[in-house]
Amino acid sequence: MSVVQNIMEEVKKRNPGEAEFHQAVEEVLISLEPVIEKHPEYVESGILDRLVEPERQIMFRVPWVDDKGNVQVNRGFRVQFNSAIGPYKGGLRFHPSVYLGIIKFLGFEQIFKNSLTGLPIGGGKGGSDFDPKGKSDNEIMRFCQSFMTELYRHIGQDIDVPAGDIGVGAREIGYLFGQYKKIRNGYEGGVLTGKGLTYGGSLARKQATGFGLIYFVREMLAANNDSFKDKTVVISGAGNVAIYACEKAKEYGANVVAMCDSKGYIYDKNGVNLDTVKQIKEVERKRISEYVKHHPEAEYHEGQKGIWSIKCDIALPCATQNDIHVEHAKQLIANGTKIVGEGANMPCTNDALNLFLENDILVAPAKAANAGGVATSALEMSQNSMRLSWTFEEVNSKLDAIMVNIFKAADEAAKEFGMEGNYVAGANIAGFKKVADAMMAQGIV
Ligand code: GLU
C-alpha cells in the first residue's frame, strides 16, 4: 500500500462516519503524491499523519430559551486544526446539517486555503447544528450569547479568530462580539472578523468571497486568452458568495441567467436582476421563489439541482458542499460548459471533479478560488491591530492582488509537477508546501 493509501485507511478508521472529512482528505492527499515522492522528508517527519489530526477539537452544549419559553439544546463545535503559520482562522457555520464531520472537512480545507492567501493564518472552523431559519432576532441573539459563553475561553485575537460561514453573517457576528466583549471586559477587536463597519469591520469584507472568486476565474480565463465578456453564467446559491460573484461577473460583461436557494432555482434569460435578489435575500430574508413576483417573465423551478441542466459557459457553484455530483457534471459537459469556479467549500464531489478534469474543463478549486473571504478577514485583523481602517478601494485592490498571486501559485505548482492546467492539484500542492515547511521548522509538536 502506498503512503497515501495507508494514511487514508487510518483516517477512515479513526474518524468513522465522517464522510465529508474523508472526502476532503482524500482529494488533497491524492494530489500530494508527486510532492511526497520528491520530498520523502515530509513523510519521515510525519507531516501527513500530523496534518490529518486536528490539534484540538472542542464540542459543547449550547442551551437557550426560545420565544415560547421552551428550553432548546444545540451542539457547538470548534475544531482548531493547524496553527503552523498563524492563529487558527475560519468561520462558524450554523446549519442543521452540522456535525463533527462537516466542521472537520471545513477546518481541513481551511488550512490550505489560508496558506494560499500568503497571510499568517492557521486553519480552524466551528459552528452548530442550530437552524437560524424561522428564528426571531431575539432567539438568534440568545443563541449567539449562549454559544459565545462557552466559545470565549478557547479563542482570542492571537489564538483563534472565528468569522461567518453559512447561517452566520453580520447580525450573528455582532451578537457574538457583544457577548465576548462583555465576558472578557476588554475591547479585543481582532477576535472575530466579518464585524459591522461601526465597530471594527472592514470595508469590502462582505463582497470579498464573491469578488475574489471572479478575480480568480478572470485570471484563469486570461491565461487561456479568454474573458467573462458575453459569457452565460449559472450561479448556485443566493447567499453572500453567490450575490457578490454575480455582481462582479455582471460588471465584467457576463450574463448571469440563474441562481437558487435550497428549495428551487430561478431562470431569467435576460439576466438576473441582482437588486431584486438582494432585496429578497438580504433585506426580507425570504425564498428566491419571490423573484418571479417581481419579474413574471422569469421562471421558477422547484428543486435546486435542476439548475445544472441550464446551458452555460461558466458554472459557479456557490451554495454548499457536494452540490455537483457526477450526473450534474455530465449534464454541464454535454451542454458545453468550459469553466467551473468553486465559490462554496467542496461543492463538487471528487468523482465530478475528476470528470471535469478528464474533459479538459478548467476548474477553479474552492481552496484557491474562494480564499478571498478569509484573506479579507486577515486584512480586517491587520486594520484592527493598527487601529485604523482602509478605504473600500484599498481593501479591494489588496484582495485583487492576493487572488492574482493565488492563481500564480496554483498555476506554477501545477506546472512544476507536470500537471499544467490542473489548478486543483496546483492549489493543494502550493497550499500544502508552506504549511509543511513551517511544521518541519517547528519540530514534532
Ligand atoms: N467561512 C469563510 C471560508 O470558508 C470565511 C472564513 C473567515 O473569514 O475566517 O473561508
Side-chain angles (χ1 to χ4, degrees), residues 78 88-93 106 110 113-114 121 124-125 161-166 168 193-194 205 209 241 343-345 366 370-378 380-381:
R78 187 71 185 167
Y88 310 106
K89 179 85 196 85
L92 298 171
R93 176 176 293 191
L106 291 163
Q110 205 82 41
K113 183 196 308 198
N114 294 4
I121 39 178
K125 202 85 183 192
V161 181
D165 195 84
I166 293 171
V168 179
T193 61
R205 174 64 190 88
T209 315
V241 183
N345 291 313
N370 78 25
V374 75
T376 308
S377 276
E380 181 174 332
M381 291 161 72

Side-chain angles (χ1 to χ4, degrees), residues 176-197:
L176 291 164
F177 186 74
Q179 185 72 356
Y180 182 84
K181 187 164 60 72
K182 182 173 171 138
I183 298 173
R184 294 301 298 257
N185 187 33
Y187 206 100
E188 201 187 316
V191 69
L192 291 170
T193 61
K195 298 183 293 296
L197 296 175

